[in-house]
Amino acid sequence: MNSLPRTWRGAMLVAAVLPALGCSRWWAAAEEEIEERARRAAPGQIPEEPPVVPEDPIQVNSLLPNRGETGGGLLVEIVGLAFAPEMTVWFGDVPAADVDVLTESRIQVVTPPAPVGVVDVYVVESESRFGVLTNGFEYYAPVTLERVEPTRGSSLGGDSLVLYGGGFVDGTSVRFGDGAPRTAVVVDATRCQVLTPPLPHGVYAVTVSNANGSATLNNAFSTWDPVRLRAITPFAGPISGGTPIVVTGTGYVDPTSLTLGGQELAAVADPGEGALSAVTLPADPPVEGVVAATVSNANGTATLANAFAFIDTSDPTPRIVAVSPATGLVDGGRAVQIAGLGFDAAGLAVTFGGAAADCVIVDDHTLSCVTPPGPEGAVDVRVVNLNVDLTAPGAFTYVALRLDALLPNRGAIAGNTWVDLWGNGFAPDTEVFLGGAPARAVNVAGNDRLSLRTPANAAGVVDLRIATQGVELTFPGVYTYFNPYNSDFWSSGGPIDGAVNITVVDWNTNARIPGALVMLGLDPTTEQQGFTDARGQVTLSGPEVVGAQTVTAGKPGHALFSWVDVNAENLTLLLLAAAEPSFPPGEPGPPPPVVRGNIIRIKDEYNTGTDLVLVGTTYRDFSTPLPDPGPRSFLVSQGPYELWARPGDLIVVAQAGTVGPGNRLITATMGFHPFLLTEVGSGTPCGADADCPLGESCYQFGAAPRVCTHVYDGVDIVIDTPLKQPLVIQMDDPPLADDVSEYGLMPDTTAAFVYYDFGSMGLLPMADVGVSFTDTVVAPMPRRLPGALAGTPFYVFAGVYLGFDDDLDPATPPSLYPPQSEVRLPPYTDTTQPVLATPVLGTVQERSPATGGYVEPGPGGKGLRFIFGSNKPLPPSAYLHLFFLDGQAIEWMVLGGGSQFNFSLPIVPDVISELRLLPDDPLDPHLHYWQIMGMDEPTVQFNRLDPVAWFGWRSRSLHATYFLVP
């Protein structure tokens, strides 16, 4: 069988390089898209001699339920037709032990154990008679929960909790106690992460749930209240000390320390953690006045100014010593303590700024009042009774706290979104809470404006609470958290206006990558950098983060990834695990099926009696090579053949022609045997057919010992399809040149690759087509395929390449290299009509310096810079820049817009990169290679990049070169 044509190898240079470097997922996706398009386009075909179909075929229509645990043991009912006693049921390659055929249309069966995944379900009467439901049953791992870390957290919520167990899949939720479920981020099947919600102080069961079930771990998580100091009762006492006091608040675990006026008191915490009991010491210094109190323990520290008033009881003069708290909202309603002497219930009247307050006498030197509404600002506090008229000037301040606006009013769940607040009443001590969690980096710019960075939180609408000057207000539902990750788009959302939300995932597995460093711009010292959280997410934000950005991510052991000048607020960055290339010896697989038959020739001009015939099969896909066809897969003219084939649904193909230069077959005519389904053998060592399983034969592959495999006899092929129809492929304005341009080498050769898509029976590349040095290529094709294969669609890849062969003999096309530009055309069925290949993209041309990129290292350097152009105008398009070093492993992947021809990559911090560019040594030049490929697909937008649509490109260009580090 011919190897893959050299023109195709040249055109697919990048596709050959990338799988070896770990990027096969890209090209697999592209091939799947091609095949899917072919399947949609191909008309249904009926064989001229249809195989004999049983009168009552076995049908498997549905299973209920169609999902179950890997351990098996689930009772399932199968619905279909033509069921009979003694039939067996298989889930994939595992037989079910308990099968009960109830009727001709119903079977009950107990699932056998099997690994996680989707399997086909077979109902089998014999090896040749069975029914199958493709992907009929899904096995899933049961949900288990073993532990959570950490086991304690704040009652305010916002703690990152990791759950360990099993059966975790996308859509997993976590519930604390009887609370509402919260969406978790699944790291892998055994770990997931969730942010804790606000939970009152207590101990909670944790329940994890998803489509596969649920599991609960009792008493798994406990919360502690943050340390708060609300009040001291009584509010006042003599300077001589000895006053029993109770400090109320939250978070008073044992031990908790208490200082009053700078002196530490012996304090006893209440079991409820809401109160401390102590006795005051003599004031030090022994001066009348109000002092602060501080409580502190392992959960934090809290201080209350104006917490307790020392009274000099030896001086009977009526007076006001302290008012606490000294602030309140203009709406009134604040509970205030007034300490002093001379208070008497007879005729008592208390005013705040002239407005009467409701007050009661607590003891000889304390009043307890509720403030009336008042104007913003400081006001006098006046106490009047029958004996005294006392005034404390400006002793109480009314605060007009309000929130007028916040921008933005939404942000990513990773937190760190820069938010500006406008309102009134903001003071230097202002705290802000979102969803109960404290905001970071609160910066009060004035009484009416402040900025902050949001805490991490779960997706949803949350309240915002502002605490300042001893007062606080809550504003319900004013801020929204969202998850920026979109698996359908690598870039999404609106233009960048203050924040970029990044999700970093593994290129090959799509698993989130925590601990990756992400940075904006080119300067490694920028403040706009941070590490991804357990979800693999980070938000970089600030008033200066506006418009198109360069975003880079990396982690030790991974390649770097950059977006260049992207203007989308939500980005996915994909890191490829950097592994040294290794090529371990392959394990011997099962023996291939053997196909045998006769080659039959018709009497025509191509039957010379001396021509060579090669026998092979269609490809399953072009990324899966065919097996060694064996020594009897070729013959002269006609006669018996024997082929070592691939398994599956296929067509056996015979190609007849003459041997040209380079020991290549120049195919002149072909024959086909379609509709053959083959299977691999068991590989059981044998001495005779009787030693083999039913349906297998004892066969010897070359000099190897005999083994059991499937042998298919009588597969005769009539060679009756000449390749005498010239398929004319006309390229529209290809970027060709016959010399070296001012920018470097340019394409000078045109070529095409044609392949048939037979649907489930596979793909068939045609022989190497002739190359040309003009805009037209001619490919020898059959006028029509025989029998049921007539009308099969064929696909054309046409392009321009750089050829390194001066031999103009079309039988020996030159080797083809980049720079190159290719067009992938929609399916055709008529070989008599010319094919127009358009649009052909321009090819990338180096501009400065001549060797490619260059480096400006050191402080203030620009990192890696690349300047290039195109030898033909390019349409707006998504462009993929692939940059890799040493030709061994990809070190850096870069995405940029189609119009981006001048870009720089940053000098990255040492913490994320082991990338070390070696300087050039004249005695040992150290080349670093870079490669750039552009893809044009009209539906693709760079700032809303859909990778599935992108891999459906209609045109692409490729260039690869090297650079030296100065």
Side-chain angles (χ1 to χ4, degrees):
M1 182 68 183
N2 280 346
S3 61
L4 201 59
R6 282 189 290 168
T7 51
W8 180 237
R9 293 201 304 271
M12 290 297 289
L13 172 65
V14 66
V17 172
L18 286 177
L21 299 178
C23 294
S24 59
R25 188 164 63 92
W26 277 28
W27 309 112
E31 286 187 337
E32 289 172 3
E33 178 66 15
I34 296 171
E35 294 178 359
E36 177 59 24
R37 291 186 182 185
R39 284 191 289 271
R40 292 198 300 266
Q45 301 297 326
I46 301 175
E48 288 182 343
E49 298 181 2
V52 177
V53 179
E55 185 175 338
D56 296 313
I58 300 171
Q59 295 185 28
V60 182
N61 296 331
S62 64
L63 276 75
L64 188 68
N66 61 359
R67 302 177 72 249
E69 294 184 359
T70 54
L74 178 68
L75 181 64
V76 172
E77 183 160 308
I78 302 175
V79 178
L81 293 174
F83 298 160
E86 308 304 323
M87 284 186 173
T88 61
V89 176
W90 294 68
F91 287 75
D93 56 1
V94 182
D98 299 314
V99 180
D100 186 4
V101 180
L102 302 177
T103 67
E104 292 184 353
S105 61
R106 294 171 56 222
I107 294 176
Q108 284 188 348
V109 62
V110 176
T111 59
V116 171
V118 178
V119 299
D120 300 336
V121 177
Y122 299 85
V123 175
V124 180
E125 181 179 80
S126 67
E127 188 172 297
S128 60
R129 177 166 158 75
F130 59 87
V132 59
L133 181 60
T134 304
N135 298 331
F137 191 81
E138 179 185 3
Y139 279 97
Y140 61 82
V143 177
T144 60
L145 181 57
E146 298 172 0
R147 71 182 193 280
V148 301
E149 292 181 0
T151 59
R152 299 181 69 246
S154 169
S155 62
L156 297 177
D159 291 305
S160 179
L161 195 67
V162 180
L163 290 75
Y164 296 86
F168 300 158
V169 296
D170 288 343
T172 294
S173 65
V174 177
R175 190 174 72 250
F176 295 85
D178 296 327
R182 299 174 70 83
T183 300
V185 175
V186 176
V187 179
D188 54 38
T190 63
R191 291 178 298 160
C192 66
Q193 184 265 350
V194 70
L195 288 177
T196 60
L199 295 167
H201 174 245
V203 180
Y204 295 88
V206 176
T207 300
V208 58
S209 304
N210 57 37
N212 298 341
S214 65
T216 298
L217 194 61
N218 291 320
N219 303 322
F221 187 74
S222 61
T223 59
W224 46 265
D225 287 325
V227 178
R228 295 284 187 267
L229 201 165
R230 294 199 176 97
I232 294 180
T233 304
F235 171 59
I239 61 175
S240 59
T243 303
I245 59 173
V246 175
V247 182
T248 57
T250 60
Y252 300 160
V253 296
D254 191 23
T256 294
S257 67
L258 168 66
T259 60
L260 185 65
Q263 300 183 90
E264 185 167 354
L265 307 184
V268 178
D270 182 82
E273 301 183 4
L276 293 172
S277 299
V279 177
T280 62
L281 298 174
D284 185 17
V287 177
E288 184 179 74
V290 67
V291 297
T294 299
V295 292
S296 181
N297 58 35
N299 295 340
T301 299
T303 297
L304 179 65
N306 303 328
F308 185 83
F310 282 108
I311 305 293
D312 185 359
T313 55
S314 65
D315 180 1
T317 304
R319 59 194 181 275
I320 296 175
V321 175
V323 177
S324 183
T327 59
L329 295 173
V330 293
D331 295 338
R334 187 74 188 273
V336 172
Q337 305 287 324
I338 302 175
L341 289 174
F343 302 154
D344 193 328
L348 178 66
V350 180
T351 60
F352 285 72
D358 292 330
C359 299
V360 295
I361 295 177
V362 178
D363 53 37
D364 292 342
H365 35 255
T366 307
L367 295 176
S368 179
C369 303
V370 177
T371 62
E376 182 178 10
V379 299
D380 297 343
V381 176
R382 184 181 179 190
V383 178
V384 177
N385 58 34
L386 294 180
N387 300 313
V388 299
D389 187 346
L390 306 172
T391 298
F396 188 82
T397 298
Y398 279 101
V399 178
L401 182 60
R402 69 174 187 272
L403 175 66
D404 296 330
L406 70 163
L407 186 70
N409 62 358
R410 61 188 289 274
I413 55 179
N416 199 47
T417 301
W418 179 282
V419 177
D420 285 311
L421 275 68
W422 288 267
N424 190 72
F426 306 151
D429 69 340
T430 299
E431 296 179 283
V432 182
F433 300 85
L434 285 161
R440 301 186 301 105
V442 176
N443 179 43
V444 179
N447 179 67
D448 60 349
R449 184 176 179 181
L450 63 82
S451 62
L452 57 85
R453 292 189 179 275
T454 60
N457 216 318
V461 178
V462 299
D463 300 342
L464 183 145
R465 177 164 58 92
I466 301 176
T468 183
Q469 305 178 70
V471 299
E472 64 178 45
L473 275 180
T474 297
F475 304 91
V478 297
Y479 191 82
T480 301
Y481 281 94
F482 69 95
N483 188 342
Y485 179 62
N486 187 328
S487 60
D488 295 328
F489 292 91
W490 287 356
S491 56
S492 63
I496 296 173
D497 187 14
V500 183
N501 308 306
I502 296 115
T503 304
V504 179
V505 302
D506 184 282
W507 184 279
N508 289 318
T509 67
N510 270 337
R512 308 292 183 87
I513 299 181
L517 183 66
V518 182
M519 61 177 286
L520 301 187
L522 307 180
D523 185 356
T525 65
T526 177
E527 293 183 358
Q528 291 296 347
Q529 59 180 274
F531 290 95
T532 54
D533 60 16
R535 302 182 184 88
Q537 294 182 327
V538 66
T539 290
L540 302 178
S541 179
E544 74 282 8
V545 182
V546 177
Q549 303 287 323
T550 292
V551 186
T552 300
K555 186 176 183 179
H558 296 76
L560 299 169
F561 190 102
S562 292
W563 286 85
V564 173
D565 288 347
V566 63
N567 197 8
E569 62 176 338
N570 306 319
L571 298 176
T572 298
L573 279 73
L574 303 100
L575 302 190
L576 178 67
E580 291 297 324
S582 61
F583 304 96
E587 293 293 330
V594 177
V595 177
R596 295 191 292 221
N598 284 291
I599 300 298
I600 304 168
R601 302 296 296 273
I602 64 173
K603 292 183 178 181
D604 61 11
E605 59 188 296
Y606 306 102
N607 187 357
T608 66
T610 60
D611 52 357
L612 181 69
V613 178
L614 296 183
V615 184
T617 69
T618 50
Y619 287 76
R620 177 183 292 111
D621 56 69
F622 290 135
S623 63
T624 305
L626 296 175
D628 177 357
R632 292 183 289 276
S633 61
F634 60 92
L635 62 154
V636 175
S637 187
Q638 60 185 345
Y641 76 90
E642 188 171 78
L643 172 68
W644 302 345
R646 72 169 175 88
D649 194 5
L650 52 81
I651 299 175
V652 184
V653 182
Q655 302 185 55
T658 59
V659 178
N663 202 31
R664 294 177 57 255
L665 179 70
I666 303 173
T667 303
T669 185
M670 306 175 70
F672 303 87
H673 187 110
F675 310 110
L676 182 65
L677 180 62
T678 62
E679 299 179 64
V680 296
S682 63
T684 305
C686 59
D689 291 349
D691 300 331
C692 295
L694 182 65
E696 294 189 17
S697 301
C698 190
Y699 184 88
Q700 185 170 17
F701 290 90
R706 294 164 66 87
V707 294
C708 297
T709 192
H710 289 278
V711 176
Y712 299 85
D713 286 307
V715 182
D716 298 338
I717 305 172
V718 178
I719 296 182
D720 58 358
T721 306
L723 306 186
K724 60 181 179 180
Q725 174 61 52
L727 175 66
V728 178
I729 302 166
Q730 176 73 47
M731 276 174 275
D732 181 23
D733 189 25
L736 283 170
D738 57 3
D739 57 9
V740 176
S741 76
E742 61 178 304
Y743 305 131
L745 296 173
M746 293 182 65
D748 59 6
T749 305
T750 54
F753 169 70
V754 183
Y755 72 93
Y756 282 100
D757 187 337
F758 295 103
S760 64
M761 291 188 292
L763 310 173
L764 177 65
M766 297 303 292
D768 287 335
V769 302
V771 298
S772 171
F773 300 100
T774 69
D775 58 4
T776 303
V777 177
V778 178
M781 295 283 288
R783 180 176 292 273
R784 69 187 298 272
L785 294 180
L789 301 181
T792 297
F794 63 88
Y795 289 79
V796 177
F797 280 71
V800 294
Y801 309 89
L802 184 65
F804 287 113
D805 195 331
D806 293 331
D807 185 351
L808 301 183
D809 182 355
T812 58
S815 297
L816 302 176
Y817 299 92
Q820 65 188 50
S821 183
E822 295 177 305
V823 176
R824 181 168 66 192
L825 298 172
Y828 295 90
T829 56
D830 187 354
T831 58
T832 66
Q833 296 298 314
V835 170
L836 179 63
T838 185
V840 185
L841 299 183
T843 62
V844 171
Q845 297 293 300
E846 307 166 33
R847 286 180 181 263
S848 175
T851 55
Y854 64 93
V855 181
E856 298 178 32
K862 296 182 180 179
L864 298 165
R865 186 180 180 192
F866 295 87
I867 304 174
F868 49 92
S870 173
N871 55 18
K872 180 183 175 183
L874 301 177
S877 173
Y879 253 67
L880 167 65
H881 302 286
L882 287 177
F883 167 57
F884 57 98
L885 302 178
D886 297 332
Q888 294 297 313
I890 292 178
E891 294 283 356
W892 208 321
M893 298 186 188
V894 185
L895 284 177
S899 59
Q900 188 71 32
F901 292 121
N902 185 334
F903 68 91
S904 295
L905 299 179
I907 301 173
V908 294
D910 290 343
V911 69
I912 64 170
S913 177
E914 298 157 354
L915 183 63
R916 294 293 179 266
L917 300 182
L918 300 178
D920 182 31
D921 183 344
L923 299 179
D924 181 20
H926 197 88
L927 301 182
H928 301 285
Y929 294 90
W930 67 278
Q931 177 177 276
I932 184 168
M933 181 170 63
M935 292 181 175
D936 174 48
E937 166 54 48
T939 65
V940 169
Q941 304 174 52
F942 181 53
N943 294 330
R944 187 171 173 78
L945 186 54
D946 175 0
V948 173
W950 191 17
F951 296 138
W953 56 270
R954 60 176 183 173
S955 301
R956 70 177 175 190
S957 66
L958 172 69
H959 188 75
T961 186
Y962 67 90
F963 65 93
L964 299 172
V965 177

